Amino acid sequence: MSISANYTSSEDSLYYGGATFAPVFDLASGTLRFSGGAPLADYVAALRDVRYKNTSDNPVTDERTITFVVNDGNSDSDGESLNVAVTPINDPPVVTLSVANVAYTEAAGPVVLDNGIVISDIDNTELQDAFIRISGGYVQGQDTLIY
């Protein structure tokens, strides 16, 4: 069986979870190959247990076509295909602070909160907005955040 349309080698894989066979997945072609003489029922059970997985956090969304072909030792069957729709999900951005506490002395000038902050987003290169809130101990009229 193979991923016969829109295969992306860096993302797509076919897996077999059983113990009857030890198939080999060819990364270059997207083909999971079972081999060895075995009863028809064993092959049916094995093919029913094959799974598709996409490992990307930002997958190519083109529909994949999976084609099944079997061989009786003399000739290949006609291929039967099914489609896999790949639906991405939004992975939220991540904020990582480099400090846990900042000291402030009464009547001092403004202090930088964190000049080592890191922001990442695995599936986006732009952000739409950001906010910083004093979320504990806020005193209106005394505490301010400035930029």
Side-chain angles (χ1 to χ4, degrees), residues 9-90:
S9 63
S10 61
E11 301 177 8
D12 300 323
S13 293
L14 295 172
Y15 292 93
Y16 168 65
T20 306
F21 296 94
V24 175
F25 183 70
D26 179 17
L27 189 62
S29 67
T31 301
L32 183 66
R33 182 167 303 279
F34 292 80
S35 59
L40 181 74
D42 289 352
Y43 269 95
V44 169
L47 295 182
R48 286 179 177 171
D49 196 28
V50 172
R51 298 162 187 165
Y52 169 83
K53 182 175 181 178
N54 186 294
T55 59
S56 177
D57 281 318
N58 192 18
V60 174
T61 58
D62 297 336
E63 188 172 77
R64 309 311 198 267
T65 301
I66 312 295
T67 302
F68 294 75
V69 176
V70 296
N71 182 293
D72 63 5
N74 294 313
S75 58
D76 288 345
S77 68
D78 290 335
E80 284 289 317
S81 298
L82 60 83
N83 295 318
V84 175
V86 177
T87 304
I89 59 169
N90 182 46

